[in-house]
Amino acid sequence: MTISYNWLCEYLPAGQAGSTESIDPEKLSRILTAIGLEVESLEKYESIPGGLKGLVIGEVLSCEKHPDADKLKLTTVNIGNGEALQIVCGAPNVAAGQKVVVATIGTTIYPVEGEPMTMKKAKIRGVESQGMICAEDEIGLGQGHAGIMILPDDCTVGTPAADYFKPYSDHIFEIGLTPNRIDAMSHLGVARDVCAYLSHHNNADAPVRSPFKNNFKVDHQGMQMDVVIENADACQRYAGVSIQGVTIGESPDWLKDKLKSIGLRPINNIVDITNFILHETGQPLHAFDADQIKGKKVIIKTLQKDTPFITLDEKERKLSEEDLMICDAEGPMCIGGVYGGLHSGVSAATKNIFLESAWFNPVFIRKTSLRHGLRTDAATRFEKGVDISNTVHVLKRAAMLIKEIAGGEIASDLVDIYPAPREKTEVALKFHYLKKLSGKNYHGDTVKDILKSLGFELIKESADELRLAVPYSKPDVTLGADIVEEIMRIDGLDNVEIPAIITIAPAVETLAVEAACREKTAEYLSGSGFREIFTNSITNSAFYSGDMLDSTVKMINSLSKELDVMRPDMIQTGLQAVSYNLNRKNNDLQLYEFGKTYSVNETGRYLETNQLAIYITGNKQSDGWRSKAEKADVYFLKAVVVKVLSLLGLSPASFSQEIMQNYSSCLVVKLKNESVGSLGIVDPALLEGFDIKQPVFYACLDWDKLMKVQRKLNIRFQDIPKYPAVQRDLAIVVDRSLQYEAVEKTTLDARIGKLKTVNLFDVFESEKLGPGKKSMAISFTFLDEEKTMTDKEIDGMMGRIITAYEKELKAEIRK
């Protein structure tokens, strides 16, 4: 939320901004943060960058031709300090006797285009120049550059340019509002909180300076409009008034300055007033061209599904049956509370307007806004619930502003359709509950004063309880805890007392093991050159099809059409990150992510699963003076997975080749015959959808399953072996189609207790071995932890392995 300091001060009891009694911006920033309106930034705003500082009004005393340049002139300029300046000027319109704007030595000017420039003493074609006579675009006052800026003759020499032109300056607060604080989404709402703070801390009543004046008056009833609410749930209050004979034009400077200071672009006086009122009070308004309202009738209703409607941005949109529309006798004019229509809005030719102020159901507005991708200022306020009691007051203020600035007459009675007036929410607050939550013993009078200053109404009071009516501007206040929050805010969140003794209930840490495992895995991967990524768990349903799409968790109120489901798989969001990097020439990637996938089963139960995803593409090793670049492959990925499982104490794992979606070649990772993940080469057809033209290797481990197995492990400690391990190598000739997995399984099935590791270190294929044959060289490591093994023992174990290979694998032993 953007708040103007000058604008805010107009509602504070201290008076106008800039007065001696005003709260300075820094102090106001601290107050705002203390009451829960956290100031994220405080910036100085200047309508003219630099504020014309250092520029001065001067008079050209003489103007002669430059002795060494045809297009330059040598001038002397009086700037009122008793000493004339010699300035070389290239403007064709400079002449003696003119009043001009002068940038003296040391002054920084801010041109409309280009970088700021600081004036220095310089020689131009051999003649010293002691400043610069300025054109309007050179100092940010306009676009003209045909010549210097010539001022009226009555200007006083020596007057600072800032005093003459009076550029607007302000301080702008960026406030980080929580979504429930609709009451603070306006300058008046923020002022109400500040005044409550001042009243409490200064022990003196500090009321808000209300902009509402009781000066609304109907001039005649020549433009009455008939208003009908057909959907009273979506529109619970609707008010409007007609204004005849307005003149569409530019807004006055004070109004334009206010809007520009908070980042809004002035459009015309009518639109600017509605924007001003929105940011002043938090109540959105809409102005219709009254001559475009067919049948002089305004109908608030929903229309049939797929009804076409052209909005203000000239796009045709298909309406939903839940979109609330403001219609005339012939058709829709505006999407209520969200966006105007192309043909009903105010234009340069508008003479008569119908001004709308309404309360629309937040649920309808939010759904419509998200459905059509129209996140307007009006929608963001209506969807949180504006103050229904303020509807008419704001309309009257806006109507009188229009009459004052754009002329015209109030040409109808004010229409106010309010079928079912809302009762205020009632909330009870017990004093012991206040103390329990706040940790502070507040005096009853203090509590009542704070709540009164915030607009709460005391309904009933007893020794230990207050019953309060909540103001309509605070729809989020429904519980006693909400009242406690309001009191603590105004007292100052930085005044929360910290007790000398803090009592807490003991808790058992149930996730310590999982957290340690995750940290250990992340440290290994990061230390091995991988980078951790975080991708959005909300993704695009277009990535999925078939059964996977049927089981996805769909967003009811999606943020956009591209973000409409919770991801059922990690690979698509990861490939988006891979594609983003590849498109920026970052071609060698090793990434990992701890994330969650989501699905819904046949019974409608939602499932959430923790996953570890690993992505590798490009080179695993870059070019260096001692080594050449080495491409990553699926074996490198498999080694990483094996190492991760080993770190978690989950080895040995087995791998079986299977056909799986998203892979062109895939290995399923198993622990004790239970699948815990997969790894392999990503299907090129999937890569094509992300515009990825190089192979990507991907592994996904079900982290929940890994942790389930890990929790069952018993931690055992053993001494470092005192006796040496013995290594033996063996080469076998087998069928070319035989996978190493079968060799490893056969070795383990031999159940040789002193065999510690088995490692494939070479594969050789040649016709000399026989047709369809290959050689596999395998290394075995044996260890007896109680004694040194003899050759006879080792030969016996190797013999058992050879026998198993010959019997199970039909292998031949290479000599």
Side-chain angles (χ1 to χ4, degrees):
M1 179 67 193
T2 304
I3 294 292
S4 157
Y5 169 73
N6 290 349
W7 194 347
L8 180 62
C9 283
E10 292 181 7
Y11 311 118
L12 300 182
Q16 299 293 324
S19 74
T20 56
E21 298 179 355
S22 292
I23 305 172
D24 66 76
E26 289 291 343
K27 181 178 179 181
L28 189 54
S29 175
R30 291 192 294 272
I31 291 174
L32 291 172
T33 299
I35 60 178
L37 304 177
E38 183 181 2
V39 176
E40 296 178 342
S41 69
L42 172 58
E43 305 279 343
K44 185 170 184 180
Y45 169 81
E46 293 174 321
S47 60
I48 300 172
L52 304 180
K53 185 178 180 180
L55 297 171
V56 65
I57 306 300
E59 180 179 8
V60 181
L61 301 178
S62 66
C63 180
E64 300 174 0
K65 185 177 177 300
H66 191 287
D68 198 27
D70 292 338
K71 294 185 178 180
L72 298 179
K73 294 177 181 178
L74 186 59
T75 68
T76 55
V77 182
N78 174 23
I79 61 169
N81 63 355
E83 183 178 345
L85 301 180
Q86 178 174 275
I87 298 176
V88 177
C89 180
N93 63 332
V94 64
Q98 293 172 339
K99 299 290 179 67
V100 294
V101 179
V102 179
T104 56
I105 301 300
T107 297
T108 300
I109 62 172
Y110 296 81
V112 174
E113 296 181 1
E115 296 298 317
M117 180 172 58
T118 301
M119 295 295 103
K120 298 179 181 178
K121 188 179 291 187
K123 282 192 174 183
I124 302 176
R125 290 293 187 94
V127 177
E128 186 177 87
S129 182
Q130 298 172 320
M132 179 170 131
I133 304 175
C134 303
E136 62 179 29
D137 70 325
E138 292 171 332
I139 54 176
L141 282 172
Q143 299 291 332
H145 193 70
I148 60 169
M149 181 179 239
I150 301 172
L151 304 178
D153 292 337
D154 59 357
C155 292
T156 303
V157 172
T159 302
D163 292 346
Y164 178 78
F165 290 103
K166 294 181 172 51
Y168 183 78
S169 65
D170 199 350
H171 288 83
I172 303 300
F173 301 98
E174 283 296 336
I175 296 176
L177 281 182
T178 51
N180 62 314
R181 292 300 309 278
I182 177 61
D183 60 304
M185 289 190 74
S186 66
H187 286 76
L188 204 53
V190 173
R192 187 180 297 111
D193 272 8
V194 174
C195 288
Y197 178 93
L198 295 175
S199 297
H200 173 62
H201 288 272
N202 296 339
N203 293 317
D205 191 25
V208 176
R209 293 164 59 93
S210 174
F212 301 115
K213 296 177 174 59
N214 190 22
N215 60 349
F216 180 81
K217 180 183 176 182
V218 176
D219 296 309
H220 59 84
Q221 289 90 19
M223 286 185 58
Q224 291 290 133
M225 292 285 176
D226 185 17
V227 176
V228 178
I229 299 177
E230 291 189 4
N231 190 328
D233 178 35
C235 177
Q236 297 181 20
R237 188 174 191 180
Y238 191 95
V241 68
S242 300
I243 306 173
Q244 188 177 48
V246 298
T247 301
I248 307 299
E250 190 175 343
S251 297
D253 288 342
W254 69 264
L255 179 52
K256 291 190 293 184
D257 286 338
K258 278 185 167 61
L259 296 179
K260 287 192 285 188
S261 71
I262 60 171
L264 297 181
R265 179 176 61 88
I267 298 173
N268 61 52
N269 47 13
I270 303 298
V271 175
D272 292 350
I273 288 169
T274 60
N275 284 333
F276 169 80
I277 293 293
L278 169 69
H279 288 272
E280 179 186 57
T281 67
Q283 172 68 47
L285 303 174
H286 189 73
F288 296 93
D289 187 328
D291 296 327
Q292 301 299 321
I293 300 177
K294 306 296 189 297
K296 301 302 178 186
K297 190 171 187 179
V298 176
I299 309 167
I300 301 93
K301 62 181 179 179
T302 53
L303 300 176
Q304 290 184 349
K305 185 178 179 181
D306 293 331
T307 299
F309 178 66
I310 301 175
T311 48
L312 199 57
D313 55 3
E314 300 183 6
K315 292 182 180 178
E316 181 176 286
R317 303 176 189 273
K318 299 293 185 181
L319 300 178
S320 162
E321 68 276 11
E322 293 184 345
D323 293 334
L324 183 66
M325 303 301 295
I326 312 301
C327 306
D328 60 16
E330 296 183 7
M333 300 188 294
C334 169
I335 302 178
V338 178
Y339 208 45
L342 181 62
H343 304 298
S344 63
V346 173
S347 67
T350 298
K351 296 297 181 186
N352 307 308
I353 65 171
F354 177 74
L355 190 62
E356 161 198 284
S357 178
W359 191 96
F360 298 121
N361 190 313
V363 175
F364 278 79
I365 298 303
R366 181 165 177 81
K367 285 184 176 181
T368 295
S369 173
L370 292 174
R371 186 182 297 118
H372 296 292
L374 296 169
R375 303 298 294 152
T376 60
D377 281 345
T380 56
R381 284 162 175 80
F382 277 128
E383 71 184 15
K384 292 177 173 62
V386 298
D387 184 349
I388 196 169
S389 68
N390 227 16
T391 306
V392 170
H393 299 307
V394 171
L395 180 63
K396 289 179 178 179
R397 170 157 170 75
M400 296 312 293
L401 266 179
I402 289 173
K403 186 176 177 181
E404 175 188 334
I405 293 172
E409 297 177 324
I410 307 298
S412 73
D413 291 327
L414 190 146
V415 179
D416 181 19
I417 310 297
Y418 197 3
R422 299 178 67 183
E423 297 292 333
K424 286 186 176 181
T425 302
E426 293 187 11
V427 179
L429 173 67
K430 294 184 180 294
F431 287 109
H432 72 84
Y433 183 68
L434 170 60
K435 182 178 179 181
K436 178 182 177 181
L437 288 193
S438 67
K440 193 170 181 178
N441 205 355
Y442 288 96
H443 192 279
D445 290 340
T446 299
V447 172
K448 288 186 287 183
D449 289 342
I450 289 175
L451 295 175
K452 179 183 176 183
S453 65
L454 289 173
F456 288 86
E457 180 184 342
L458 182 60
I459 299 174
K460 185 179 179 182
E461 179 181 2
S462 63
D464 62 346
E465 184 183 62
L466 298 178
R467 188 153 193 86
L468 303 155
V470 180
Y472 293 108
S473 60
K474 294 182 178 290
D476 64 307
V477 176
T478 58
L479 305 170
D482 299 328
I483 302 290
V484 175
E485 180 189 353
E486 293 293 290
I487 294 167
M488 294 179 68
R489 280 195 316 102
I490 300 307
D491 187 39
L493 295 176
D494 49 0
N495 291 328
V496 174
E497 296 180 356
I498 300 176
I501 299 175
I502 299 177
T503 304
I504 60 173
V508 178
E509 176 57 75
T510 59
L511 300 176
V513 174
E514 288 85 342
C517 289
R518 177 167 173 164
E519 183 176 0
K520 182 187 291 187
T521 303
E523 286 179 350
Y524 161 68
L525 291 170
S526 297
S528 301
F530 284 78
R531 295 181 182 274
E532 186 172 7
I533 60 173
F534 298 92
T535 60
N536 196 347
S537 57
I538 306 175
T539 188
N540 193 340
S541 60
F543 293 151
Y544 310 100
S545 60
D547 293 339
M548 181 167 283
L549 184 59
D550 293 338
S551 64
T552 57
V553 178
K554 298 171 179 62
M555 303 291 291
I556 297 175
N557 289 322
S558 59
L559 297 174
S560 69
K561 293 179 181 178
E562 290 73 31
L563 297 171
D564 57 349
V565 297
M566 304 295 286
R567 65 181 171 200
D569 199 345
M570 296 289 290
I571 188 168
Q572 285 79 7
T573 54
L575 289 179
Q576 285 180 302
V578 171
S579 175
Y580 182 89
N581 280 273
L582 294 179
N583 289 337
R584 286 153 181 80
K585 306 301 181 185
N586 191 10
N587 297 324
D588 302 328
L589 300 172
Q590 296 177 27
L591 310 173
Y592 72 96
E593 177 179 14
F594 287 97
K596 293 182 179 181
T597 56
Y598 308 84
S599 61
V600 57
N601 63 16
E602 297 82 0
T603 64
R605 182 185 176 191
Y606 291 106
L607 305 176
E608 181 178 298
T609 309
N610 289 289
Q611 308 279 358
L612 169 60
I614 301 173
Y615 311 84
I616 301 173
T617 187
N619 295 323
K620 65 178 180 181
Q621 177 178 303
S622 302
D623 273 324
W625 67 276
R626 296 185 62 187
S627 60
K628 292 185 178 180
E630 188 176 350
K631 290 283 187 185
D633 55 26
V634 73
Y635 302 106
F636 174 60
L637 174 62
K638 181 182 175 185
V640 172
V641 171
V642 169
K643 182 62 178 177
V644 168
L645 295 176
S646 177
L647 280 173
L648 299 175
L650 302 179
S651 58
S654 62
F655 299 85
S656 61
Q657 191 163 11
E658 297 184 16
I659 297 174
M660 286 188 67
Q661 188 177 10
N662 299 328
Y663 293 99
S664 60
S665 177
C666 174
L667 293 176
V668 173
V669 186
K670 295 182 178 179
L671 291 172
K672 297 181 180 179
N673 294 321
E674 181 182 7
S675 173
V676 295
S678 59
L679 65 91
I681 306 171
V682 179
D683 189 343
L686 179 60
L687 297 180
E688 186 178 351
F690 293 91
D691 196 28
I692 298 175
K693 298 179 175 60
Q694 64 187 55
V696 176
F697 307 98
Y698 167 69
C700 186
L701 299 176
D702 188 319
W703 192 256
D704 289 337
K705 287 184 178 179
L706 295 183
M707 291 300 98
K708 183 178 179 182
V709 176
Q710 211 280 336
R711 280 192 291 270
K712 296 178 180 178
L713 296 179
N714 292 320
I715 300 175
R716 293 182 296 125
F717 297 89
Q718 63 184 39
D719 293 333
I720 297 174
K722 298 178 182 179
Y723 302 97
V726 179
Q727 188 170 331
R728 290 287 179 90
D729 296 338
L730 180 68
I732 58 175
V733 177
V734 295
D735 288 340
R736 190 171 294 176
S737 61
L738 186 74
Q739 299 291 324
Y740 173 67
E741 179 189 6
V743 178
E744 190 175 48
K745 183 177 184 302
T746 300
T747 307
L748 296 176
D749 288 346
R751 300 186 181 280
I752 300 172
K754 296 175 183 177
L755 176 62
K756 299 302 179 183
T757 63
V758 183
N759 182 47
L760 175 69
F761 65 89
D762 186 44
V763 177
F764 174 69
E765 296 183 6
S766 172
E767 293 300 324
K768 294 180 181 179
L769 299 174
K773 298 290 185 179
K774 67 179 177 182
S775 171
M776 303 175 78
I778 306 167
S779 172
F780 305 90
T781 302
F782 300 94
L783 176 66
D784 189 329
E785 297 177 357
E786 298 180 353
K787 62 182 178 65
T788 301
M789 288 186 293
T790 64
D791 288 342
K792 183 177 180 181
E793 289 177 303
I794 298 169
D795 289 342
M797 290 184 283
M798 287 297 298
R800 290 170 59 188
I801 293 172
I802 290 170
T803 301
Y805 286 175
E806 289 175 338
K807 180 180 179 181
E808 301 294 334
L809 306 178
K810 311 301 181 187
E812 298 177 17
I813 309 303
R814 290 186 69 188
K815 304 297 184 183

